[in-house]
Every structure is written in structure tokens, then in C-alpha cells.
Amino acid sequence: MAFEPVSGGGIQGHFHLSRDGGDTHAPFSLKVRLNLPGSGVTGIFGPSGCGKTTLLRCIAGLQPCASGSLAVNGAVWQSAGKPKEALPVHRRPLGFVFQQPSLLPHLNAAQNLRFARKRAWQPVSDAEYRSIIDLLGIGHLLSKRPGALSGGEQQRVAIARALLIKPRVLLMDEPLASLDQMRKREILPYLEKLHRALDIPILYVSHSIEEIARLADHLVLMDNGSITNEGPATALLSREDFPVPLGDDLGVLLEANIAQRDSQWNLLRADFDGGSLWLRDSGEAVGDSIRVRVLARDISLTRGEDTQSSILNRLPVEVEEISADRDPAMVLLRLKPQATATHPSDAVGSRLIARITRRSAHQLSVNTGSRLWAQIKSVAIVR
């Protein structure tokens, strides 16, 4: 029977690879069932070797999988039990961005893009071409060959190349893995712009929480060739029992809006549904939506508001839950921000997580229901 996707679109299907089952092409076992959003960024996260790249290769058709099915927003690309009828790689309307840009070294950036434009599934107008160039900020790089570009610049050209074929899905396999921290920070704002500008599904593979937190709307967690959990990124990344050990990276992901710019001190005020946070000015305009991560290790607690502290961010909170940490010296507190004049009680939905020592919890006499003040240093807020 031919594969029939259920209504609602998105990326649907399944893949089952197993050497034990006689599939000699299988790098290792993979058993997943997909029902992913048809737009936005789906982050695929997990430890090295868990099957993230193999899953992307199955979707692209680069990894043979006789026991697999796939539909992208209603279009069937592969039907289980009919491997000969599966669309080959060159007929799948997708863009693929790898860890290495793999630009043609003898061509300059413009010529590399022209090569992709000729292979587009639909004609690319001059206006669309300029829009992609502007989106990725590479207009000044077009005359340069890859050898004259930095790693981040090469990757931006590679992303533009992938977009110029007008894909129906964009696959990104750890596109920042080969870049140093400075280059990663250089390119992440362009990926955020890409996220906002495109109306196609983007599957983004990474083992970096920083990248996933900044970019993903939906999150898929993988381990040992299987999907162990999935759901909205903000919800999954704000769980104390996050299935993949995060260690010092445990925290919450907050959706916020820029409400004020303090030009004198180069700060921005970001409002979320539990209060406001002052953070370093990174160029966003008032009214822009941003994401911030507040890590559990970066929250300190006091019984009363300490107005003599250098810490700008002070939020009244209530202890909602106390749980053990993996470190026996520590304890995790789930905190509910309390209503204020600017954030009434019916608008408070976000939670914070604090990691403090058990000794500190004892000294503060912390119990469920305790009213405290959470302090968060502006320089510690992760963007």
C-alpha cells in the first residue's frame, strides 16, 4: 500500500535501518517515526553518534532505507516497501547545508551562487536573488573566491546557495560545528534572520544547546538511533528533568520582547511573561522578539530585595517545587515569578530554575511556597 500522509501537512514518515535485519547499507540501527511541523525550525539534538546525521541523510535520500516512508507538506517522497519508487536525491526539492561549506574553489562566491540558481526547482527572479544576498549579508563577498573568505563567510555563502534552489525543506547538519566561538557568534544572528524570513521547514541538527535554544521552535531529542522525546523547544529546554544531561547548562528558555533601550548604559530591557530583565545591548530594536536563556547556576536567592547589590535583575518569586540535583551538594528550585504592577498575576506563565547548595537552602529555610527574590546578573544572561 502506498504511503498516505495524514492531514495537516508537516514532515511525516518513518525510517527503520538495521544491520541485524540484513540492511548492509545501514551504518547502525535507526528506528524513528516523524510527525514534525511544516514550517519553522525543528532542532534535532542528542549526543554524538545518536543518529542525527543519519536521519537527515534518510530524509535527503542520501542514505538508502528500504523500510521507510516520507511526505513533506503532503508530497510523498518515499513509500514503505517501494524503494524503487522513492524519489532519488536529485529529484527531492531540498537544500542541504553540511558542516563544511564545500564551495567550488575555482569559482568566486557569485559564480557558486549562479551555479545553484541554474539548478533551482523554480525560476529565481533578480529580486529573490538580491533578497537572499541581503538576508545573509554577503553582497560584499561576491567577487571573492572561497579561499579568501573566513569560515563563517563561506558558510553564509553555502546557506545562500542552498536557498537559491528554492527548496521545500532545508536540512542543516551542524553548520557551525567547524567554526570557532567567534565565528559562531558572527553567523548566529544571520540564522535567526533566516528563521524569521523563511516559510519552509528547517531541520537543524546540533549537539550545541546554545544553537538549539536560539533557533529551534520544535525540539526532537535522539539517543541510540531513536527519538526519546519531542515538543516545543521552550517547554523541553525549561525542564529540570531534561532527558539529556545538561550539567551547568541547565536553565530555562524565555520568549521576550525588547521594551526599552538605555543608550547611556548600553542596555536593553526585555519583558517576558514573568517580569523584565536588563541585558547587554546587542542591536535589537524596541519591539523585537528575542530569546534568552537564564541558567540555573546564575540565579542567586535572597529573603528580601537587595537594593544595594550590583545585580540589576531582581524578581519576586515563589518556590513551586524542590528537587534533588545530580550533584548531592546541590538542590534545584522551580520558581514562579510573582505578580507586579507591570506583570499582573494572570499574565505570569514562565518559570525559572535555580541551582543552589543544600546548605544555602537550609540557611534560607527554603520550603515549597517560600517567597524569595531571584537575582540574575545581566552579564550572565545567555543570548
Side-chain angles (χ1 to χ4, degrees):
M1 177 181 289
F3 172 56
E4 294 290 342
V6 298
S7 61
I11 298 174
Q12 302 172 33
H14 79 282
F15 295 102
H16 186 190
L17 290 170
S18 175
R19 282 187 169 178
D20 294 339
D23 192 339
T24 57
H25 296 289
F28 59 89
S29 293
L30 179 75
K31 190 173 184 179
V32 298
R33 184 167 294 278
L34 304 173
N35 189 9
L36 307 177
S39 62
V41 177
T42 293
I44 303 175
F45 179 79
S48 297
C50 72
K52 304 185 299 293
T53 295
T54 300
L55 173 57
L56 245 60
R57 288 176 58 83
C58 285
I59 292 171
L62 294 169
Q63 172 64 56
C65 182
S67 179
S69 59
L70 179 66
V72 177
N73 285 330
V76 176
W77 292 8
Q78 182 174 344
S79 188
K82 298 184 177 182
K84 293 183 179 180
E85 297 180 14
L87 290 181
V89 179
H90 67 276
R91 291 187 56 201
R92 299 191 182 197
L94 58 83
F96 209 135
V97 180
F98 300 91
Q99 293 183 24
Q100 299 296 333
S102 302
L103 300 174
L104 298 173
H106 62 289
L107 301 179
N108 64 26
Q111 291 167 331
N112 268 277
L113 297 181
R114 193 175 303 127
F115 181 78
R117 189 175 178 181
K118 290 178 180 178
R119 296 175 54 245
W121 293 96
Q122 298 174 339
V124 179
S125 69
D126 290 343
E128 290 171 325
Y129 177 78
R130 288 192 299 270
S131 176
I132 290 173
I133 299 301
D134 292 342
L135 180 66
L136 290 158
I138 57 174
H140 63 295
L141 306 176
L142 296 179
S143 63
K144 297 181 179 181
R145 290 190 177 186
L149 303 177
S150 71
E153 291 169 340
Q154 288 186 47
Q155 199 62 296
R156 278 153 58 194
V157 174
I159 294 169
R161 179 182 61 183
L163 293 179
L164 280 170
I165 68 169
K166 287 198 170 181
R168 294 181 190 168
V169 60
L170 180 62
L171 308 179
M172 307 187 80
D173 186 15
E174 305 217 41
L176 308 187
S178 63
L179 305 179
D180 59 32
Q181 198 62 31
M182 181 179 296
R183 299 304 179 195
K184 286 183 181 181
R185 288 174 179 166
E186 168 194 305
I187 199 172
L188 270 169
Y190 291 100
L191 295 181
E192 287 178 316
K193 287 171 62 179
L194 197 71
H195 174 198
R196 293 190 293 267
L198 297 183
D199 192 31
I200 61 171
I202 302 172
L203 302 189
Y204 191 97
V205 161
S206 180
H207 61 265
S208 165
I209 278 290
E210 177 189 2
E211 295 170 33
I212 292 294
R214 286 188 67 165
L215 300 172
D217 304 297
H218 190 81
L219 182 56
V220 170
L221 303 178
M222 291 190 66
D223 196 20
N224 293 322
S226 298
I227 293 175
T228 58
N229 210 330
E230 65 175 294
T234 50
L236 280 182
L237 287 172
S238 299
R239 286 173 46 175
E240 301 98 312
D241 60 342
F242 190 72
V244 179
L246 295 180
D248 286 346
D249 286 330
L250 178 67
V252 297
L253 181 62
L254 303 175
E255 301 278 0
N257 292 292
I258 301 301
Q260 181 183 346
R261 166 171 277 106
D262 187 336
S263 300
Q264 180 181 1
W265 304 113
N266 295 313
L267 294 173
L268 296 175
R269 194 190 88 214
D271 289 354
F272 68 103
D273 63 359
S276 299
L277 296 170
W278 287 100
L279 55 150
R280 289 173 290 185
D281 189 343
S282 49
E284 289 85 357
V286 172
D288 281 355
S289 297
I290 65 167
R291 287 179 174 183
V292 296
R293 290 196 74 220
V294 178
L295 301 184
R297 68 185 182 193
D298 293 326
I299 296 180
S300 64
L301 299 170
T302 59
R303 271 288 176 184
E305 183 179 10
D306 186 356
T307 59
Q308 302 301 309
S309 169
S310 66
I311 299 177
L312 295 177
N313 299 311
R314 301 184 296 273
L315 301 173
V317 296
E318 178 183 330
V319 177
E320 198 170 57
E321 184 181 343
I322 303 173
S323 57
D325 187 50
R326 287 186 172 89
D327 185 335
M330 302 292 175
V331 65
L332 295 174
L333 307 180
R334 188 171 183 84
L335 308 172
K336 178 183 179 180
Q338 294 300 286
T340 64
T342 55
H343 294 87
S345 58
D346 59 357
V348 175
S350 294
R351 300 295 188 267
L352 301 173
I353 301 172
R355 173 185 276 129
I356 63 174
T357 64
R358 295 171 63 87
R359 179 175 177 176
S360 294
H362 174 74
Q363 290 178 339
L364 289 171
S365 300
V366 173
N367 294 295
T368 301
S370 295
R371 297 292 182 95
L372 304 167
W373 285 83
Q375 301 187 135
I376 308 162
K377 295 175 67 174
S378 295
V379 296
I381 295 173
V382 181
R383 289 293 318 283

